[in-house]
Amino acid sequence: MPEGERIMDYETIIGLEVHVELATASKVFCSCPVEFGAEPNTRVCPVCLGLPGTLPVLNKRAVEFAVRAALALNCEVHPTSQFARKNYFYPDMPKNYQISQYEIPVVQGGTLTIHVEGKNGQPGYEKTVQLTRAHLEEDAGKSLHEDFAGMTGIDLNRAGTPLLEIVTEPDMRSAAEAVAYAKALHALVMWLGICDGNMQEGSFRCDVNVSVRRGPDAPYGTRCEIKNLNSFRFIEEAINCEVRRQIELIEDGGTVVQETRLYDPDRKETQPMRSKEDAQDYRYFPDPDLLPLVIGDDWIERVRATLPELPAAMAARFESAYGLPKYDASILTATKATAAYFEAVVAEAGAANAKAAANWIMGEVASNLNRADLDIDAAPVSPAQLTKLLARIADGTISNNTAKKDVFPAMWAGEHGGDADAIIAEKGLKQMSDSGELEKIIDDVLAANAKSVEEFRAGKEKAFNALVGQAMKATRGKGNPAQVNELLKKKLGAA
């Protein structure tokens, strides 16, 4: 049976566990600084090394960040939650247990609405993903598989870094939905300022649970967990590979075994890591060194007062205040930096130019950022510079086409300090708007193209476009298109 048909016979079930590294200055249970890239084992102390007799002290800022996330995700904040010891034995786990939360997490429930892009001509759609819980925990250290005379090195700098693990229900039905969810959550935690979002450094890591079943009414299949995916591309590839593997295994008469797997991007396959543990295998029990975490309503309200305007609310405001389409508003609020750039342009250009600003930011600015692999806050063209360019289009100094083809690329390259006026003057790009001069040129064009004039008067609309092209050619592209059209219609008696 062809692979595509096989997959169509099955429904994919996906749930995500996302580890969000909280952007606190110090670790979650000690005062060691959180610093990526420091020399191995130089950001450690007796507490995060798990030495006997040490006691953990909870980082208040980490709790506040968890509450910020809960409020933004419509979650319930438990008034009292409990830390637990999750027991397992790895070289990079100093205490041989991880301080986490189990029966009573700090956050319960919640939702995140995502937009899934359409493919192959299909329209996009919105979907609300249900969250199960979010809990605070400490990170483990890191095993370094480098040249240590045939041995593995252990760096415990990361041990004790605060994490918020956000767990979904098995609500997603495709790799595209899982990626859309991961991107939306990634943007949100950065928007809230609780995570730097650097996936290459491990600040935002995804574990993906995947299973398949024969149709939507069948019971869930056996799930496998793919660990530590640190890019959106790898999330998509790993899910698709694992779905194919499970379907092929079932179709060949085999059985899917519950296990933890890793994704190999070079071989484009998932590989077994270890048998998947259940909760009882970790022997959870309340951590005797930590009191229950009590979060009162007054604390929650203080945190609520510090929240920025959230993406959904800002998108709705962009629609109502600036008349933007829903799609534009969602793109412009995809990241806080993009929204800030747009608002900076509109603040100078005025609300009447909001749609033009949106088009340029989503178009020329975004495409140039993608090619240069830059974030918008590193764009060579500032909001003030883009505002000046939009003004020159609006006042007829240059056409939109000239702005895109000649002026903006020069601004991006830093010519004349990115000043639109200086570039227009140096390149001689100013539009010809003198009506007398344009009228003489159009008279010459009409005289030289009698056949096109005849065809237009005979009802052939295409002939008019040909005359416009000839007129623009005669002005060497500097004619004001609106004026050229108006004068031509007037001369031809079509105005």
Side-chain angles (χ1 to χ4, degrees):
M1 186 183 296
E3 182 181 87
E5 290 180 18
R6 277 190 183 182
I7 290 176
M8 291 298 290
D9 288 342
Y10 290 82
E11 183 179 50
T12 303
I13 311 296
I14 303 167
L16 262 65
E17 301 169 14
V18 179
H19 296 83
V20 177
E21 183 178 307
L22 300 176
T24 55
S26 57
K27 294 183 181 181
V28 66
F29 296 117
C30 67
S31 60
C32 288
V34 176
E35 182 184 346
F36 181 83
E39 285 294 312
N41 300 309
T42 59
R43 301 295 183 266
V44 293
C45 72
V47 175
C48 55
L49 287 175
L51 298 185
T54 57
L55 291 173
V57 178
L58 180 59
N59 186 327
K60 181 179 179 182
R61 189 70 167 158
V63 178
E64 290 176 348
F65 282 175
V67 174
R68 282 169 78 87
L71 294 173
L73 291 165
N74 308 304
C75 306
E76 175 193 354
V77 178
H78 278 163
T80 304
S81 58
Q82 177 72 57
F83 284 96
R85 292 186 179 181
K86 180 180 180 181
N87 295 273
Y88 60 97
F89 303 97
Y90 290 156
D92 55 13
M93 181 56 64
K95 300 185 289 288
N96 286 330
Y97 64 84
Q98 177 189 28
I99 301 177
S100 183
Q101 294 184 312
Y102 177 50
E103 290 184 326
I104 313 175
V106 65
V107 173
Q108 194 85 38
T111 59
L112 181 60
T113 299
I114 61 174
H115 177 80
V116 185
E117 294 289 342
K119 289 186 177 181
N120 301 321
Q122 295 297 313
Y125 59 94
E126 285 193 345
K127 178 174 182 138
T128 298
V129 176
Q130 301 293 321
L131 307 183
T132 308
R133 57 186 277 149
H135 56 266
L136 286 164
E137 64 184 20
E138 61 180 345
D139 206 349
K142 185 177 181 181
S143 297
L144 303 175
H145 306 291
E146 298 172 11
D147 186 12
F148 296 108
M151 297 180 286
T152 294
I154 301 295
D155 179 11
L156 295 176
N157 281 345
R158 198 173 69 185
T161 297
L163 300 178
L164 182 67
E165 182 175 344
I166 302 173
V167 183
T168 76
E169 292 292 307
D171 279 356
M172 288 154 279
R173 296 294 179 265
S174 68
E177 289 186 359
V179 170
Y181 168 81
K183 285 183 175 179
L185 184 61
H186 181 260
L188 181 61
V189 296
M190 292 177 65
W191 188 289
L192 295 170
I194 66 173
C195 176
D196 66 19
N198 194 320
M199 298 180 78
Q200 291 75 26
E201 295 179 1
S203 299
F204 188 92
R205 311 191 297 273
C206 297
D207 298 343
V208 181
N209 291 287
V210 180
S211 66
V212 297
R213 63 179 176 180
R214 288 186 181 274
D217 298 324
Y220 286 158
T222 301
R223 66 186 173 93
C224 292
E225 182 181 31
I226 310 166
K227 294 286 286 185
N228 291 331
L229 298 168
N230 66 349
S231 82
F232 302 124
R233 179 168 65 87
F234 290 167
I235 291 171
E236 183 172 26
E237 290 178 357
I239 290 172
N240 287 332
C241 289
E242 180 60 16
V243 168
R244 285 194 295 270
R245 184 191 74 85
Q246 291 188 20
I247 291 173
E248 288 170 2
L249 185 61
I250 294 168
E251 289 289 310
D252 291 339
T255 302
V256 177
V257 177
Q258 181 174 316
E259 62 185 354
T260 299
R261 300 178 70 87
L262 294 175
Y263 177 61
D264 184 336
D266 296 323
R267 302 181 66 173
K268 296 286 190 296
E269 64 181 21
T270 64
Q271 299 171 341
M273 178 184 177
R274 61 174 183 267
S275 60
K276 174 66 178 167
E277 300 92 341
D278 288 313
Q280 63 266 25
D281 296 321
Y282 290 118
R283 293 174 291 115
Y284 282 100
F285 65 89
D287 192 309
D289 291 336
L290 286 160
L291 292 170
L293 172 59
V294 178
I295 303 174
D297 290 342
D298 56 340
W299 192 0
I300 293 172
E301 291 310 310
R302 286 198 301 272
V303 174
R304 192 191 305 275
T306 69
L307 286 178
E309 184 180 21
L310 296 177
M314 185 178 285
R317 177 167 62 82
F318 284 1
E319 290 180 57
S320 61
Y322 303 129
L324 295 182
K326 186 172 185 176
Y327 175 80
D328 292 16
S330 67
I331 295 297
L332 293 170
T333 54
T335 70
K336 201 171 188 178
T338 302
Y341 191 102
F342 169 73
E343 292 217 280
V345 174
V346 173
E348 290 195 52
N353 295 302
K355 178 56 178 167
N359 289 344
W360 271 84
I361 293 168
M362 295 187 300
E364 299 305 305
V365 174
S367 61
N368 279 272
L369 288 171
N370 287 338
R371 280 195 294 271
D373 195 24
L374 292 173
D375 293 326
I376 196 166
D377 46 13
V381 176
S382 70
Q385 290 169 331
L386 182 60
T387 301
K388 182 180 279 191
L389 179 63
L390 295 177
R392 295 301 163 263
I393 298 168
D395 66 18
T397 301
I398 55 172
S399 68
N400 200 58
N401 186 55
T402 299
K404 288 183 177 180
K405 190 175 74 170
D406 299 309
V407 183
F408 187 79
M411 293 170 65
W412 194 269
E415 293 181 27
H416 296 283
D419 182 71
D421 286 341
I423 291 166
I424 292 166
E426 190 268 332
K427 294 182 179 291
L429 299 172
K430 187 174 180 180
Q431 278 191 143
M432 185 186 296
S433 298
D434 181 88
S435 57
E437 189 178 359
L438 279 175
E439 195 164 352
K440 182 179 182 307
I441 289 171
I442 286 171
D443 285 339
D444 292 340
V445 167
L446 293 175
N449 294 273
K451 186 179 179 184
S452 292
V453 172
E454 239 179 86
E455 289 176 350
F456 172 74
R457 285 180 172 149
K460 293 185 178 178
E461 288 295 325
K462 286 184 178 179
F464 182 78
N465 295 333
L467 290 168
V468 171
Q470 288 299 317
M472 292 302 294
K473 183 178 178 183
T475 65
R476 288 176 295 181
K478 294 183 182 179
N480 184 313
Q483 280 187 276
V484 167
N485 273 264
E486 186 182 342
L487 284 169
L488 268 172
K489 287 178 181 177
K490 184 178 177 183
K491 295 281 184 182
L492 294 166

